[in-house]
Amino acid sequence: LFTDWAARSAKPFFISEYGADSFSAALNREDQETHAAEVGSMLRQLVSNAAVSGGACLGGVYFAFADEWWKCAAHSTNGFPACGGDPSVHDTL
């Protein structure tokens, strides 16, 4: 990403959202250790490619990628949160 951008433009770019879901489909549970390693790796890549040090990146904002469905206590019958996370109702909103 960083070298591809640098080859296309002399201007730096900003990553508006980066992160990873802490839920592991392989383990079928939250995996905070792997999540921390993944997000740490992303941060190290941003820092090592920082524009202030001659890189192509102005920075980035850490973001929770799973739409934070876990904050909704109400669930519909199909397993999706009833408070707006059910993709089957998006066409009706």
Side-chain angles (χ1 to χ4, degrees):
L1 169 71
F2 301 102
T3 54
D4 288 347
W5 180 265
R8 294 172 190 246
S9 177
K11 296 180 180 181
F13 69 98
F14 180 77
I15 297 177
S16 61
E17 297 175 359
Y18 76 95
D21 194 343
S22 62
F23 182 82
S24 168
L27 301 174
N28 197 31
R29 65 172 174 82
E30 183 180 25
D31 183 0
Q32 292 184 4
E33 294 79 19
T34 301
H35 180 255
E38 290 170 348
V39 172
S41 175
M42 292 175 200
L43 178 59
R44 285 188 295 278
Q45 289 180 46
L46 289 177
V47 170
S48 67
N49 289 283
V52 71
S53 303
C57 186
L58 289 172
V61 175
Y62 176 73
F63 183 74
F65 265 12
D67 294 330
E68 300 181 2
W69 289 3
W70 55 271
K71 287 185 176 179
C72 178
H75 284 67
S76 64
T77 56
N78 64 2
F80 290 101
C83 59
D86 187 343
S88 67
V89 300
H90 287 296
D91 291 336
T92 62
L93 296 178

